[in-house]
Amino acid sequence: MPDVMFTGPEGRLEGRYHQSKEEHAPIALILHPHPQYGGTMNHKVVFSLFHVFVNRGFSVLRFNTRGVGRSQGRFDNGMGELSDAAAALDWLQGMNADAKSCWIAGYSFGAWIGMQLLMRRPEIEGFISIAPPANLYDFSFLAPCPSSGMIVHGDKDAVVPHKDVSTLVEKLKTQKGIVIEQKVIPGANHFFDGKIEHLLESVGAYLDKRLKIERKHTAA
């Protein structure tokens, strides 16, 4: 997968990109956890998520937000990082103007950024939100949540307690026409130590289900 550089609001942003060989391939943007706590595009969860999408024929981009790795700028408490994510999606769409669908996936802080981007970009049809920090950040902007997706978290998460994520899921489930699938990984902590394979199996199974439905609609 090639290293890429593209223009963000505060200068260049560094990413890793996989171009699908399939015509009209769907696209996916992957967002990393909090940069002040070691979050980068090479985090094991982000790296693994990237390949779940690659293995299903997506063109996929993961990238470092401002001030991380070779990306220019400084940490901006979420506002700037959301602008970076929007610029990354612009770049990804520019590379895949005829993509048949658009997905976003984020882990922890990246899940919060991803859900905000979801609200601003109606072309995003699906999302994967892993360990969204519902106790640390305000998710009330999801009113209503515009797309169906999956929220995954562990029941042993000491950073983001299980009950806080479940409360968020229950709130989102009340919306008509939107299906939020919740998957709780037994024994998993916030970092999915020793549980990465379980996480990837859950995400992969959900993606397979959604892509099958999408193919049926296309064929109809």
Side-chain angles (χ1 to χ4, degrees):
M1 82 206 65
D3 293 356
V4 294
M5 289 285 184
F6 55 93
T7 302
E10 291 295 310
R12 71 169 183 265
L13 294 170
E14 171 192 23
R16 298 285 185 279
Y17 176 62
H18 169 82
Q19 177 71 54
S20 174
K21 293 183 172 66
E22 296 180 20
E23 192 176 8
H24 309 303
I27 58 175
L29 177 67
I30 318 293
L31 302 173
H32 65 68
H34 203 297
Q36 294 191 319
Y37 298 95
T40 77
M41 67 176 174
N42 293 321
H43 186 283
K44 62 183 181 181
V45 172
V46 175
F47 178 86
S48 300
L49 260 182
F50 181 91
H51 286 284
V52 169
F53 281 94
V54 166
N55 292 340
R56 282 158 179 81
F58 282 72
S59 290
V60 195
L61 173 68
R62 70 184 199 267
F63 77 102
N64 284 327
T65 55
R66 57 187 62 197
V68 180
R70 292 187 293 161
S71 292
Q72 294 177 320
R74 290 187 297 178
F75 179 67
D76 192 36
N77 295 299
M79 288 298 294
E81 288 70 26
L82 176 56
S83 296
D84 293 344
L89 185 56
D90 288 344
W91 183 88
L92 181 58
Q93 288 175 322
M95 295 291 289
N96 300 272
D98 58 354
K100 58 188 174 186
S101 64
C102 176
W103 282 68
I104 193 159
Y107 164 52
S108 194
F109 175 81
W112 179 58
I113 297 297
M115 297 302 271
Q116 291 180 77
L117 189 61
L118 178 72
M119 291 298 295
R120 289 162 169 76
R121 302 293 282 264
E123 68 270 28
I124 300 174
E125 294 180 20
F127 69 86
I128 305 290
S129 188
I130 297 176
N135 60 323
L136 302 174
Y137 295 99
D138 183 7
F139 279 80
S140 63
F141 57 83
L142 290 168
C145 182
S147 300
S148 296
M150 183 187 206
I151 293 179
V152 194
H153 58 115
D155 64 357
K156 302 299 183 191
D157 192 329
V159 178
V160 182
H162 170 75
K163 64 176 178 60
D164 292 293
V165 180
S166 291
T167 298
L168 172 63
V169 172
E170 288 308 311
K171 179 183 172 187
L172 299 182
K173 278 184 174 178
T174 63
Q175 297 166 26
K176 289 182 179 178
I178 295 297
V179 179
I180 306 298
E181 187 158 318
Q182 180 183 20
K183 180 67 177 179
V184 180
I185 308 295
N189 62 18
H190 191 67
F191 309 101
F192 295 91
D193 293 324
K195 300 291 181 179
I196 288 283
E197 288 306 314
H198 296 283
L199 171 64
L200 300 182
E201 286 170 11
S202 297
V203 173
Y206 177 74
L207 274 177
D208 289 342
K209 183 172 73 174
R210 285 286 300 270
L211 292 171
K212 186 177 179 181
I213 293 169
E214 186 179 280
R215 282 193 292 268
K216 279 185 179 178
H217 286 168
T218 303

